[in-house]
């Protein structure tokens, strides 16, 4: 694809998908093809305008138009249904939601100032904002949970967790990854650690089958993290933060980890041979974080008393294995 082609469809495509998902069109088409008029009466839209949206998304292969003028889901439309086993519905809602596209719209300002446009726009940092906006926070948490279905198999294939006794998932969201690790590793015990409001939504995920081996702890990793684990996992956590904050988080993990423990960071490396971090770094920029190189991690780790021992590719990201120095 000619890179300049992104200029035209990119934002419009994302907003078009967002609108269709918000109107629940993929769900309404689950039972079979429908006309724009039928869909419009079901979702409360203007029939002519809805037809324009459906036509535009048919050009992106989200929907198909049948010979008799009805619309149906393609495989991509199907995955935007709420009840699809690998649903990307929340993914379709995510980047095009105002709390993300608006600061992304101010990317040039972030590049100019080196500061997160999110903070300038909303007057607070990203996670403080989520603490005050329950609906956006719920969407964020669901997107994180959905993402685990894609990353957990790669992580389990890339790394043997059976050598550990007690794994602490720091910033582990609502426990979807910890659950997968515990299911795959029958002798492992796990601690889910995240903000109290986030772990409040973890109970159902960590119930069936693993409840006896999963502990849920709410707290703030800038203050402390649970002690005594022989493995600390931080997946997609440090990229949310600048260096000063990352050093504080790693410093607290260093205080809590056993001397013979292992720290695992799961991050997109900007200099990975397999899959270098790409546009995600710009999203991190506007919310106040950054993707990093191996050398950046070595420096942060050295500053906080860790040594980087190996980097293991894990499909979309890299697993960075570290030990207390
Ligand atoms: C990008 S998400 C990653 C979630 C999960 N590890 C994953 O990969 O799906 C970062 C997580 O850090 C958590 N977090 C942010 N600030 C925190 C804090 N001060 N203390 C503990 N957790 C925090 C967020 O609630 C969120 O769940």
């Amino acid at each position: 694809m000619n890179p300049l082609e992104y200029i035209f469809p990119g934002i419009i495509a994302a907003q078009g998908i967002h609108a269709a998902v918000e109107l629940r069109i993929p769900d309404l088409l689950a039972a079979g093809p429908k006309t724009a008029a039928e869909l419009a009466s079901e979702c409360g839209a203007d029939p002519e305008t809805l037809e324009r949206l459906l036509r535009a998304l048919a050009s992106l292969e989200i929907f198909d138009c049948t010979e008799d003028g009805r619309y149906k889901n393609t495989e991509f439309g199907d995955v935007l249904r709420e009840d699809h086993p690998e649903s990307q519905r929340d993914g379709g809602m995510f980047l095009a939601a105002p709390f993300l596209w608006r600061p992304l719209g101010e990317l040039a300002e972030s590049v100019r100032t080196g500061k997160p446009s999110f903070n300038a726009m909303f007057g607070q940092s990203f996670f403080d904002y989520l603490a005050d906006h329950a609906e956006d926070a719920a969407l964020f948490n669901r997107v994180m949970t959905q993402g685990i279905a894609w990353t957990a198999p790669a992580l389990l294939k890339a790394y043997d967790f059976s050598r550990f006794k007690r794994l602490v998932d720091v910033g582990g969201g609502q426990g979807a990854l910890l659950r997968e690790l515990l299911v795959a590793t029958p002798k492992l015990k796990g601690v889910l650690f995240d903000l109290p409001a986030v772990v409040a939504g973890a109970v159902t995920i960590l119930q069936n089958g693993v409840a006896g081996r999963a502990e849920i702890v709410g707290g703030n990793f800038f203050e402390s993290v649970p002690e005594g684990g022989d493995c600390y996992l931080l997946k997609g956590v440090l990229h949310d933060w600048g260096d000063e904050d990352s050093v504080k988080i790693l410093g607290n993990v260093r205080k809590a980890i056993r001397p013979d423990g292992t720290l695992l960071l799961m991050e997109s490396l900007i200099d990975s041979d397999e899959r270098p971090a790409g546009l995600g770094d710009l999203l991190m920029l506007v919310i106040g974080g950054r993707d990093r190189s191996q050398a950046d991690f070595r420096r942060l780790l050295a500053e906080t008393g860790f040594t980087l021992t190996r980097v293991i590719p894990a499909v979309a990201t890299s697993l960075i294995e570290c030990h207390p120095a």
Side-chain angles (χ1 to χ4, degrees):
M1 175 168 165
N2 168 352
L4 293 181
E5 285 177 38
Y6 286 114
I7 296 173
F8 179 70
I11 294 166
I12 305 172
Q15 292 295 353
I17 292 169
H18 180 270
V21 170
E22 191 177 308
L23 293 166
R24 311 190 66 82
I25 305 297
D27 301 289
L28 296 175
L29 290 176
K34 289 182 181 162
T35 62
E38 285 165 339
L39 287 166
S41 85
E42 286 180 50
C43 72
D46 178 86
E48 245 180 75
T49 319
L50 181 61
E51 178 115 44
R52 291 167 67 183
L53 176 68
L54 295 168
R55 210 168 38 220
L57 293 182
S59 79
L60 295 179
E61 295 175 36
I62 302 289
F63 304 121
D64 242 354
C65 189
T66 59
E67 276 181 11
D68 59 358
R70 293 183 299 161
Y71 289 90
K72 61 180 189 182
N73 283 333
T74 64
E75 61 176 306
F76 303 112
D78 249 343
V79 93
L80 296 172
R81 276 172 25 212
E82 191 167 24
D83 64 352
H84 191 282
E86 285 167 8
S87 178
Q88 287 299 301
R89 177 180 200 277
D90 292 318
M93 293 294 284
F94 190 50
L95 284 181
F99 75 106
L100 291 173
W101 71 254
R102 286 187 55 210
L104 275 168
E106 298 294 322
L107 177 61
E109 188 57 15
S110 272
V111 173
R112 226 175 263 126
T113 62
K115 300 213 165 81
S117 56
F118 189 98
N119 299 37
M121 179 168 283
F122 294 105
Q124 57 188 154
S125 69
F126 184 68
F127 288 103
D128 286 347
Y129 170 94
L130 290 186
D132 289 345
H133 294 81
E135 220 174 287
D136 290 337
L139 174 62
F140 178 83
N141 291 331
R142 285 198 306 273
V143 169
M144 293 302 117
T145 295
Q146 278 181 1
I148 298 303
W150 302 79
T151 45
L155 177 60
L156 284 162
K157 205 166 157 205
Y159 202 79
D160 174 18
F161 287 86
S162 66
R163 79 185 81 154
F164 301 122
K165 291 191 170 64
R166 187 167 187 262
L167 178 145
V168 185
D169 190 357
V170 177
Q174 299 194 315
L177 179 58
L178 183 61
R179 182 189 161 73
E180 295 301 317
L181 294 177
L182 294 179
V183 167
T185 321
K187 291 195 178 140
L188 184 66
K189 290 191 172 153
V191 181
L192 172 69
F193 181 72
D194 206 295
L195 294 165
V198 176
V199 297
V203 181
T204 38
I205 294 174
L206 287 173
Q207 240 166 14
N208 295 340
V210 298
R213 292 186 286 132
E215 192 186 330
I216 299 176
V217 181
N220 178 351
F221 51 43
F222 291 112
E223 289 167 9
S224 65
V225 305
E227 287 187 357
D230 56 354
C231 181
Y232 284 74
L233 174 63
L234 277 76
K235 176 181 167 297
V237 169
L238 296 182
H239 77 164
D240 292 335
W241 304 97
D243 285 358
E244 207 177 299
D245 286 327
S246 295
V247 163
K248 284 187 199 148
I249 299 167
L250 286 172
N252 284 335
V253 175
R254 182 66 183 84
K255 280 185 211 152
I257 196 170
R258 287 170 34 153
D260 59 350
T262 300
L263 164 65
L264 296 173
L265 307 176
M266 207 169 172
E267 294 274 344
S268 295
L269 285 171
I270 56 179
D271 55 350
S272 159
D273 288 341
E274 310 272 324
R275 174 121 183 209
L279 297 177
D281 186 37
L282 300 182
L283 176 61
M284 294 307 130
L285 168 62
V286 302
I287 69 161
R290 60 184 312 142
D291 281 321
R292 295 181 168 88
S293 67
Q294 236 187 87
D296 293 332
F297 278 110
R298 275 187 201 282
R299 186 175 40 76
L300 291 181
L301 289 160
E303 213 178 304
T304 47
F306 286 104
T307 314
L308 189 159
T309 35
R310 320 192 251 167
V311 174
I312 306 155
V315 187
T317 57
S318 296
L319 195 57
I320 304 166
E321 185 191 57
C322 323
H323 292 99

